[in-house]
Amino acid sequence: MFLTNLDRKDEGYEAIKHGLKISPKSALSWHIYGIVNRGDNKFEEAITCYEEALKGDSENINILRDLAHLQAYMRQPTKLIETRKKLVSLNSLFVPFWLGLAHAYHMAGKYDMAIKTISANEEQFKSEPGIGPYEISELSMYKNWLIELNGDYQQALEHLKEIRPKILDITGWKEQKANLLFKVGRKEAAAMAYQELIERNPDNKEYIYGYISCNGLDAKQAEDEDAVLDVVRTLQQQFPSSNTLRFMPLTFCNGENFVKAAESVAKHALRKGIPSLFNSMKVLYGDKAKAKALGELLDGYAVQLRDTKRFSDSTDDEAASALMWCTFYLAQHWDYHGDHERALQLIDEAAKMSPETVELFAAKAKILKHAGDIRGARDTMDFARQMDLKDRYVNTKAVKYMLRNNDVVEAEKNMVLFVRDDASHKIQEIVDTQAIWYMRERGHAYRRLGDVGRALKQYHQVLKSFDTYRTDEYDFHSYSLRKVTMKAYVDILKWEDEVYSNSIYVDSARAAIECYVDLHDRKAAGNPFVAVVEKKEKPLTRNGSSKQGQHNLAAGVDEAKVAEVDKDPNGATYVDAEDHLAEALKYVERLESVLGTQPTTHTLAFEVHLRMKKYFLALKSINSLKAIDEGHPSLVPMAVRLSKGLDSDDSFAAPMKAALKAQLNKSFGEVTIEDAIKANDQSLAFALAGSKALVAMGGDANLELARSVLSKAASEKYGESRTLSNLLEARDLLIKAGGGSLESHVSELAKDAKTVFPLSTCF
């Protein structure tokens, strides 16, 4: 154990294995082996070691407890129940043991057994040393929740009344009371309970919707619209300061009712000068009728304020800022609809009215970004940052825009401005504080610059942050049972179950997989990527400076001692990996386990499996994608590539090859990529997916077809699918296709793209 914690892990593992050779049944040796494996996040191996240790000492509480924590971590409820039972049999009075057994039953869905376990120990629990009113309150509410989960709503309601004197979380108790009253059908009493909760917090949506439901109404049903609106208006009269109640009618009203509700919300925000009005309204823009109504309403307000300085139904002049905020809203409205020139004209008008308002320039930068002027967006956001150097949010946005313009060094200088002054290494501090948005954007910037090594370095820092979130859960399996924070414990486990589905994780994993695939392809083509090694500089120190005097970002005293923090800043470890596809496969498997319902997971899996010549797994990826979306643009290209791969691989067994080909023919017939593109002539998604496959397969005919298709990616026939990201993808694929006629094809695409994004500087 000492060796493994002294950065001498190989020696440590050898010492453990040597000990096991001497005494193969030693419980101590197996326990230590398990602890070391757990420290290296080898949880399955650690469980095996603990189980071996128990064969030599079946009643060792420490081993059983460590095993229980890992079984809970790995979500093995059946095995966890048996381990917890053993712990309880060894020490039935120790609270974490029987409480852990109750939770194990909870994990397994055996709520009745969890309730019995708590009931059997509840009385002696109260007399345990260190147990106070808080712990008793938490356990009582947890038991009540279990009764509810077991479906005994009436019993849960009676139990809730019984435990009321013990409860310290009054709000939680009242919420559960309203919930249970509704479930047992006592809707009038439930309505009163929700009314009481609304009085405590009139901006809580769950309370309001609960109150509406108690009145026998459903806000999602069109026939209930007028009745629901009456209920909400009654509540608005009681709680006029509630923003939630003011906004809520917009979510379920239509037509004239919607316009009246929108008038109330918009006028209030314009008079108060609330910059986030459009962000609040944006959730409604999925309904085209509502989006149109909001645009017309605010456009009318702008005319009224410009001509008369007041709203048509008002006798008093409004503040001059009302017109500015109205114009600000309209700029964002037209930006949302893709009319960037009109949006820029409006935002400039607003800026003339109030040149000191930072939000206006931040919005202008966003419009420029959507218009494709990445450099202009970066400069405008930096101008907004300089208007208020103490604003952390605007600084963050400026850093993000700098990275999207590939200004990595400038972004770094501004990022460290808000790092704590006593940090010994400011960049490492950003990694340690897990600023995952920054690391991801930095990775994307390096990738665009062609520095795959540094890009992978950033992506891995993001991915490791999520691994840390996951492994941090381990400590809660002990802490929560000791502190009796059971509901919070269950909530954190639910959150951990979804942690890898976070969009930043998924995007970083996708980018890392694509980088590894690219490294493999370049190596296979005899043109391996070499990690970019720049002149080594001292890391930023506490006063934000380096020895060379660069990056003087904050005033400070004497320069702190410089320490070597990152031994591989260029990502050479990832670039020089022996098997790039094996590295990519790790993240493919993770995505398959947590995001198997997402098409991107299977398109990525296919790219890796095909190159690894795991043809059956490649076919599995195709079938999984087809099960999700039978009309997905990548299906035919994937099938064609798999067929071509089988044809070109003479080492693959003929019978298995025939079986795979038969399956492909059964599902897709003899269709070609060109056929798929022509059959979906007005779909840019099919054009891009097909072209990507053609470029991957290579060959003069394929590349020429890809160039022909991609050069017309901005054609009018593709309509609204001609987004900036799609056109940039087409340009990148076109460049990758190469060829003697590349320049003319790129020029054709750029010319057409300029008609779609006339302000763009990307083409």
Side-chain angles (χ1 to χ4, degrees):
M1 287 182 68
F2 280 121
L3 289 170
T4 56
N5 285 282
L6 289 172
D7 201 23
R8 296 165 63 184
K9 287 189 178 182
D10 291 341
E11 294 179 60
Y13 275 107
E14 286 300 319
I16 295 169
K17 291 175 182 178
H18 182 66
L20 286 171
K21 285 182 181 179
I22 297 173
S23 181
K25 296 183 179 181
S26 169
L28 178 61
S29 295
W30 280 111
H31 190 194
I32 291 174
Y33 199 7
I35 291 172
V36 171
N37 275 310
R38 188 199 70 199
D40 285 341
N41 297 336
K42 300 176 182 177
F43 301 114
E44 292 287 358
E45 292 89 336
I47 288 176
T48 301
C49 292
Y50 291 151
E51 290 172 342
E52 288 294 325
L54 289 172
K55 292 178 182 179
D57 189 355
S58 62
E59 296 187 352
N60 187 307
I61 286 180
N62 290 328
I63 300 174
L64 285 165
R65 182 168 48 199
D66 285 349
L67 177 59
H69 292 165
L70 270 184
Q71 287 170 337
Y73 181 88
M74 297 300 291
R75 307 297 189 267
Q76 299 175 353
T78 303
K79 292 182 178 180
L80 177 61
I81 289 172
E82 296 305 315
T83 306
R84 287 294 183 189
K85 281 182 178 178
K86 186 70 174 178
L87 284 167
V88 171
S89 70
L90 294 173
N91 187 350
S92 61
L93 298 180
F94 190 49
V95 173
F97 287 178
W98 60 259
L99 197 54
L101 177 58
H103 177 257
Y105 283 128
H106 183 171
M107 285 183 69
K110 298 179 179 180
Y111 306 120
D112 55 335
M113 294 301 297
I115 295 165
K116 288 179 182 178
T117 303
I118 293 176
S119 298
N121 296 276
E122 206 167 4
E123 288 304 316
Q124 66 95 13
F125 170 75
K126 299 174 185 176
S127 60
E128 286 287 319
I131 299 301
Y134 173 80
E135 289 77 13
I136 293 171
S137 172
E138 285 291 301
L139 182 64
S140 299
M141 286 298 291
Y142 179 56
K143 181 180 177 182
N144 186 265
W145 184 34
L146 289 171
I147 297 172
E148 180 196 354
L149 291 174
N150 200 39
D152 300 327
Y153 302 137
Q154 185 60 45
Q155 182 186 345
L157 185 59
E158 293 170 2
H159 176 259
L160 191 70
K161 293 177 182 177
E162 178 186 326
I163 64 175
R164 174 62 184 84
K166 308 174 187 177
I167 303 304
L168 300 181
D169 180 9
I170 304 303
T171 300
W173 185 89
K174 288 179 179 291
E175 289 174 347
Q176 183 70 339
K177 176 186 174 183
N179 172 45
L180 291 173
L181 284 169
F182 181 78
K183 286 187 174 181
V184 299
R186 295 173 57 184
K187 293 186 177 180
E188 289 187 12
M192 293 176 63
Y194 276 117
Q195 174 80 23
E196 188 176 348
L197 285 167
I198 293 171
E199 290 174 0
R200 296 172 71 91
N201 183 1
D203 282 303
N204 188 300
K205 292 181 182 178
E206 291 184 10
Y207 298 167
I208 299 168
Y209 281 119
Y211 181 77
I212 291 170
S213 298
C214 290
N215 285 274
L217 302 170
D218 185 351
K220 296 180 181 179
Q221 298 297 322
E223 58 268 22
D224 288 346
E225 179 181 319
D226 291 334
V228 173
L229 185 58
D230 289 339
V231 172
V232 173
R233 282 173 175 167
T234 301
L235 291 173
Q236 285 176 340
Q237 292 174 0
Q238 298 176 40
F239 310 102
S241 63
S242 170
N243 290 321
T244 300
L245 284 169
R246 186 181 295 109
F247 184 82
M248 188 171 284
L250 296 174
T251 62
F252 61 83
C253 286
N254 294 284
E256 190 175 338
N257 285 339
F258 175 81
V259 173
K260 288 181 179 179
E263 286 177 348
S264 173
V265 173
K267 286 179 180 177
H268 172 79
L270 296 177
R271 284 167 173 157
K272 291 286 186 179
I274 299 174
S276 60
L277 175 60
F278 179 79
N279 288 334
S280 299
M281 295 291 200
K282 192 162 62 173
V283 297
L284 307 170
Y285 273 57
D287 185 325
K288 292 184 178 180
K290 290 184 177 182
K292 181 180 179 182
L294 287 169
E296 291 174 350
L297 179 66
L298 271 293
D299 202 32
Y301 285 164
V303 173
Q304 294 169 22
L305 291 169
R306 195 176 292 112
D307 292 346
T308 66
K309 297 183 180 180
R310 66 184 66 169
F311 296 114
S312 60
D313 60 349
S314 176
T315 57
D316 298 324
D317 288 352
E318 302 294 338
S321 61
L323 176 58
M324 183 270 288
W325 290 119
C326 185
T327 309
F328 176 57
Y329 181 98
L330 287 169
Q332 296 172 89
H333 170 83
W334 290 113
D335 175 48
Y336 180 90
H337 287 292
D339 192 343
H340 303 120
E341 291 179 281
R342 187 172 182 180
L344 284 172
Q345 180 184 348
L346 288 164
I347 202 67
D348 285 339
E349 286 180 19
K352 289 178 181 177
M353 299 178 204
S354 181
E356 303 86 14
T357 304
V358 176
E359 289 85 356
L360 301 177
F361 295 94
K364 182 177 181 179
K366 190 173 185 179
I367 295 168
L368 288 169
K369 179 188 73 172
H370 293 162
D373 186 358
I374 307 302
R375 179 70 193 187
R378 171 245 187 268
D379 292 342
T380 305
M381 189 61 79
D382 191 47
F383 179 79
R385 178 189 69 83
Q386 294 180 49
M387 292 175 70
D388 187 354
L389 294 174
K390 294 183 179 180
D391 191 318
R392 185 187 295 264
Y393 170 77
V394 179
N395 185 77
T396 296
K397 296 296 287 186
V399 168
K400 184 177 287 189
Y401 277 56
M402 289 172 184
L403 289 172
R404 288 179 177 174
N405 193 53
N406 302 334
D407 296 336
V408 179
V409 175
E410 192 67 22
E412 181 181 301
K413 290 180 181 180
N414 286 283
M415 183 64 184
V416 300
L417 288 172
F418 283 91
V419 174
R420 59 190 178 91
D421 291 337
D422 61 344
S424 59
H425 187 293
K426 289 182 176 288
I427 297 301
Q428 185 61 35
E429 180 72 8
I430 294 171
V431 177
D432 292 342
T433 54
Q434 298 173 328
I436 54 178
W437 68 267
Y438 174 74
M439 293 183 281
R440 178 183 65 162
E441 292 291 346
R442 198 178 188 201
H444 289 342
Y446 278 130
R447 190 181 177 194
R448 287 190 295 269
L449 291 168
D451 192 341
V452 183
R454 281 190 170 88
L456 277 170
K457 178 76 175 181
Q458 299 303 311
Y459 296 142
H460 274 275
Q461 287 175 339
V462 174
L463 301 173
K464 286 176 182 177
S465 293
F466 280 89
D467 288 339
T468 301
Y469 302 157
R470 181 72 176 91
T471 55
D472 280 350
E473 175 203 311
Y474 185 83
D475 295 330
F476 286 96
H477 296 296
S478 171
Y479 174 85
S480 298
L481 297 178
R482 286 187 290 107
K483 295 296 185 180
V484 202
T485 55
M486 298 306 295
K487 289 198 71 175
Y489 179 38
V490 174
D491 287 342
I492 192 65
L493 295 190
K494 287 181 180 178
W495 182 84
E496 291 282 6
D497 287 340
E498 301 293 328
V499 69
Y500 288 121
S501 61
N502 182 281
S503 60
I504 293 181
Y505 179 88
V506 174
D507 184 48
S508 298
R510 174 196 57 76
I513 292 167
E514 290 173 349
C515 284
Y516 277 123
V517 168
D518 184 46
L519 288 172
H520 167 81
D521 290 348
R522 293 180 64 166
K523 187 176 182 181
N527 182 32
F529 178 84
V530 179
V532 178
V533 180
E534 296 179 355
K535 183 179 178 181
K536 194 171 182 180
E537 295 181 355
K538 296 291 185 179
L540 297 184
T541 57
R542 284 182 183 167
N543 63 359
S545 64
S546 65
K547 188 173 181 181
Q548 289 87 349
Q550 297 176 352
H551 308 319
N552 291 313
L553 304 167
V557 289
D558 295 336
E559 182 177 328
K561 184 179 180 180
V562 174
E564 189 71 34
V565 176
D566 193 343
K567 296 179 181 179
D568 182 23
N570 306 313
T573 302
Y574 307 112
V575 172
D576 299 335
E578 185 176 345
D579 190 341
H580 295 122
L581 294 180
E583 296 300 318
L585 187 61
K586 296 175 185 177
Y587 298 105
V588 165
E589 291 173 345
R590 172 69 57 73
L591 292 179
E592 286 178 325
S593 67
V594 298
L595 283 175
T597 59
Q598 297 297 317
T600 303
T601 296
H602 303 294
T603 56
L604 290 170
F606 174 82
E607 296 293 340
V608 176
H609 293 319
L610 182 65
R611 286 168 173 80
M612 297 182 81
K613 298 185 178 181
K614 295 182 177 181
Y615 300 121
F616 281 100
L617 290 177
L619 178 61
K620 180 185 175 184
S621 298
I622 294 174
N623 290 335
S624 297
L625 179 59
K626 188 176 181 181
I628 297 169
D629 182 1
E630 289 189 354
H632 195 279
S634 295
L635 277 174
V636 170
M638 288 164 66
V640 171
R641 288 179 63 193
L642 177 55
S643 180
K644 296 292 184 183
L646 288 168
D647 290 339
S648 62
D649 190 353
D650 296 331
S651 65
F652 194 61
M656 291 189 288
K657 182 184 294 188
L660 283 169
K661 295 274 285 186
Q663 181 64 45
L664 287 172
N665 287 331
K666 181 180 177 181
S667 299
F668 301 99
E670 297 295 333
V671 66
T672 66
I673 295 175
E674 186 175 4
D675 293 336
I677 294 174
K678 287 181 178 179
N680 300 273
D681 186 53
Q682 295 184 335
S683 171
L684 182 55
F686 274 87
L688 290 174
S691 298
K692 184 177 180 181
L694 291 168
V695 172
M697 290 190 296
D700 292 342
N702 288 334
L703 293 176
E704 183 56 38
L705 176 58
R707 286 191 288 268
S708 175
V709 172
L710 292 169
S711 63
K712 297 178 176 60
S715 298
E716 191 174 348
K717 65 179 181 180
Y718 293 128
E720 293 183 358
S721 64
R722 296 174 296 171
T723 63
L724 185 62
S725 60
N726 280 342
L727 295 182
L728 289 174
E729 182 183 353
R731 181 202 62 186
D732 293 342
L733 279 172
L734 193 53
I735 293 171
K736 191 173 183 180
S741 58
L742 174 62
E743 187 175 344
S744 63
H745 285 304
V746 171
S747 298
E748 182 181 354
L749 174 61
K751 181 181 177 182
D752 291 343
K754 276 289 188 178
T755 65
V756 185
F757 294 96
L759 301 176
S760 174
T761 57
C762 301
F763 302 100

